[in-house]
Amino acid sequence: MAINNRPLKAYVRFDGSGRIVAGSLILRKNKPKVGKWKEIQAYECCFLTTTTTTTVAPTTTTSTTAAPTTTTTTTAAPTTTSTTTEPR
């Protein structure tokens, strides 16, 4: 049987309290008509999903004050901004 050709689906049964009934896992083409059933993932191996990972770089802020000039430098990946203010 090929990986993409899985004709059977897995179902578990729930009781009146909403808990899964132990030993109720069945493999069928269609959901049973009697009882509260829910389809679950049947095959743990080779289940095709997309995973996205986002990594945020650390930010460094440095401020230096000297009369009469104020200099502020902010560094964050991937840009650097530098501001110098002169008194009027």
Side-chain angles (χ1 to χ4, degrees):
M1 178 164 60
I3 292 175
N4 294 329
N5 186 13
R6 296 182 174 147
L8 299 179
K9 299 176 184 176
Y11 295 95
V12 290
R13 188 172 186 170
F14 288 88
D15 64 6
S17 300
R19 298 174 298 188
I20 296 176
V21 175
S24 67
L25 175 66
I26 60 169
L27 296 173
R28 297 180 57 160
K29 277 188 168 184
N30 300 319
K31 183 167 78 169
K33 301 202 184 313
V34 178
K36 296 180 185 179
W37 294 88
K38 181 180 177 186
E39 183 179 351
I40 62 168
Q41 181 180 340
Y43 303 97
E44 293 191 16
C45 174
C46 309
F47 187 70
L48 302 176
T49 59
T50 303
T51 304
T52 303
T53 304
T54 304
T55 305
V56 179
T59 301
T60 304
T61 303
T62 306
S63 294
T64 306
T65 303
T69 304
T70 303
T71 303
T72 303
T73 304
T74 304
T75 305
T79 60
T80 301
T81 304
S82 182
T83 305
T84 304
T85 306
E86 298 283 337
R88 291 185 182 174

